[in-house]
Amino acid sequence: GENVEQHPSTLSVQEGDSAVIKCTYSDSASNYFPWYKQELGKGPQLIIDIRSNVGEKKDQRIAVTLNKTAKHFSLHITETQPEDSAVYFCAAKGKGSSGSARQLTFGSGTQLTVLP
Amino acid sequence: KAGVTQTPRYLIKTRGQQVTLSCSPISGHRSVSWYQQTPGQGLQFLFEYFSETQRNKGNFPGRFSGRQFSNSRSEMNVSTLELGDSALYLCASSLEPSGFSYNEQFFGPGTRLTVL
């Protein structure tokens, strides 16, 4: 099945700086890559996603890039603010662990802290 | 439009007991997926239901089961609870099953289960 690795596990940046989180995936047939933000005590919230036929997508201060050849994708947050502090998860939609229907496999998460 | 709701939010059980968690998807969403989130294993897929049928299943023992009702509400059940079952159980809803490539999933706040 799909395997997703996420780095770094923790990231601290100064307010106003940029943050980059990287993920790699193993299943070359994976075709959908969402990113989620999880705040303390809440469920993950979808913040941006990208399809395999697109190389880059941007939404205000957030952007995601995808390199299918290298099988990696990244989340870029510009002009970070304290409210961006949360755990961020990447995910890839590939075959399940038993070769079953496509499902999301998540990375291990990145704790982002934006220092004021 | 109301989001995904999960009840109860917190639950404390003892080893050997069983527990039932409930999830109400976003109105109009017919697919419900369940995930287990722990600090050590991250977000792991349990199973998915669509139109009252289990469509996909992760690598969890048979003690974990679920069902979906005609109104798309879903329940998951864990029998013979073990200490290692302590986790945040998340439910996610989507319009179509995960087999559809670009299917956005929206998460509920989760049920925090503690097994003593």
Side-chain angles (χ1 to χ4, degrees):
Chain A
E2 175 68 278
N3 183 49
V4 178
E5 294 192 359
Q6 183 172 346
H7 300 281
S9 56
T10 61
L11 179 61
S12 292
V13 299
Q14 288 294 138
E15 183 177 357
D17 286 350
S18 295
V20 180
I21 302 171
K22 300 182 179 182
C23 289
T24 59
Y25 60 98
S26 61
D27 183 357
S28 57
S30 286
N31 55 10
Y32 175 62
F33 307 90
W35 285 87
Y36 288 86
K37 174 185 180 182
Q38 187 174 25
E39 297 174 316
L40 204 59
K42 297 183 179 180
Q45 175 193 5
L46 179 67
I47 56 171
I48 195 168
D49 56 16
I50 191 167
R51 303 179 181 186
S52 57
N53 58 349
V54 175
E56 184 174 359
K57 183 177 178 180
K58 191 173 181 179
D59 182 4
Q60 299 184 338
R61 297 186 296 109
I62 295 173
V64 57
T65 59
L66 171 65
N67 183 326
K68 286 195 300 181
T69 303
K71 290 190 283 187
H72 68 68
F73 55 114
S74 301
L75 177 71
H76 305 252
I77 306 174
T78 59
E79 300 172 19
T80 53
Q81 302 166 4
E83 51 264 38
D84 293 329
S85 296
V87 179
Y88 291 81
F89 292 94
C90 64
K93 179 169 283 189
K95 281 290 187 183
S97 56
S98 56
S100 56
R102 295 189 173 280
Q103 67 193 47
L104 285 179
T105 298
F106 286 83
S108 53
T110 296
Q111 173 68 62
L112 173 64
T113 303
V114 180
L115 305 168
Chain B
K1 187 184 264 192
V4 178
T5 58
Q6 293 187 244
T7 56
R9 292 294 311 278
Y10 302 92
L11 208 47
I12 299 176
K13 292 286 187 180
T14 55
R15 279 183 302 171
Q17 287 187 311
Q18 74 165 19
V19 66
T20 299
L21 313 181
S22 180
C23 171
S24 293
I26 293 171
S27 178
H29 285 196
R30 299 184 296 164
S31 174
V32 173
S33 296
W34 288 89
Y35 294 85
Q36 182 195 66
Q37 186 176 28
T38 59
Q41 299 297 318
L43 270 157
Q44 291 188 292
F45 172 74
L46 280 156
F47 30 65
E48 177 192 13
Y49 285 86
F50 179 80
S51 292
E52 302 179 64
T53 302
Q54 187 179 89
R55 294 289 293 250
N56 207 352
K57 190 177 189 303
N59 287 332
F60 278 81
R63 299 185 297 107
F64 293 81
S65 63
R67 59 177 176 168
Q68 186 179 35
F69 302 95
S70 58
N71 62 356
S72 295
R73 190 176 71 84
S74 177
E75 289 180 348
M76 70 162 280
N77 184 275
V78 187
S79 63
T80 319
L81 283 166
E82 301 177 359
L83 295 178
D85 296 333
S86 294
L88 180 67
Y89 290 88
L90 292 160
C91 161
S93 80
S94 55
L95 279 169
E96 300 293 345
S98 291
F100 282 66
S101 294
Y102 313 127
N103 198 29
E104 296 177 343
Q105 285 193 351
F106 299 89
F107 283 84
T111 294
R112 172 73 62 184
L113 172 65
T114 302
V115 182
L116 302 175

